[in-house]
Amino acid sequence: MKRAIPVVVLSIAGLVPVWRYEPSVGAATSTAEPASTPSAPSSAGSSSGTVVKGTTIQTEKGPVQVQVTFSGEKITAVRMLQQPNHPQTAAAVPKLVAETLKAQSADVDTVSGATITSEAYKKSLQAAIDSNGASAKTSASSPASASPASAAQTVSGSTVNTDKGPVQVQVTFSGEKITAVRMLQQPNHPQTTAAVPKLVAETLKAQSAKIDTVSGATVTSEGYKESLQAAIDAKG
């Protein structure tokens, strides 16, 4: 019986390191979590303002898409919605976002070692900027239609079938002035998504369907202008 006591004591003592080691596993898990959030560089204040998604750019490394928050024309935050799962991309994104907030444009330097992601980032970013600019111009033109709501007239253009898909616009007039253009149908294609804001902005500026074709989206541009002209003709 006297020999049994030391054995029990040693057994209990042997369990102590196990009890002390257990909490450190949880601690290691919690410190590793932030490394899996590559979109953390989004700037503060992204919950307010106008949020615009850029086009999805397909690259050999994977899709790239940004979401931009604007306060008027100012870029206040950029968040990655899609990006390649690669260490160089994860390292490049914070630099691209920081440069964007500083430059307030897509005219930022390519990050060394992440050229493909950088170029796609800039294209998606530019698309979001263009879209926000078109929306701002549309909003700016709305005070001119401060006359009674009954003076506004909305007309849908004809549906133009193209080899990329159907195109149809809806135009809002205040008297003879075009105050807004909305796409009812358009091809589901990144180049179309990028082209539409430019076409709308040009329409509001020209106040007619006599606008330039957007490079890289010729088919959509021609369909847009045809449907727009039909709406203008229907308005009379």
Side-chain angles (χ1 to χ4, degrees), residues 87-164:
Q88 287 176 310
T89 294
V93 166
K95 298 177 184 178
L96 292 168
V97 172
E99 285 298 312
T100 300
L101 295 174
K102 181 180 178 181
Q104 288 295 304
S105 74
D107 187 15
V108 297
D109 292 335
T110 297
V111 177
S112 178
T115 303
I116 293 174
T117 296
S118 297
E119 293 302 323
Y121 169 93
K122 290 191 281 185
K123 288 180 182 178
S124 185
L125 174 63
Q126 187 61 59
I129 293 172
D130 291 342
S131 181
N132 181 65
S135 298
K137 288 180 181 178
T138 302
S139 300
S141 66
S142 59
S145 59
S147 53
S150 58
Q153 182 180 357
T154 301
V155 182
S156 296
S158 57
T159 300
V160 180
N161 290 308
T162 74
D163 54 14
K164 300 292 185 182

Side-chain angles (χ1 to χ4, degrees), residues 174-193:
S174 177
E176 295 300 314
K177 184 176 182 179
I178 299 173
T179 58
V181 181
R182 175 171 169 252
M183 297 300 291
L184 297 180
Q185 299 184 74
Q186 68 183 65
N188 184 17
H189 194 276
Q191 287 175 309
T192 294
T193 303

Side-chain angles (χ1 to χ4, degrees), residues 39-54:
S39 59
S42 297
S43 65
S46 60
S47 59
S48 61
T50 303
V51 178
V52 182
K53 294 180 181 179

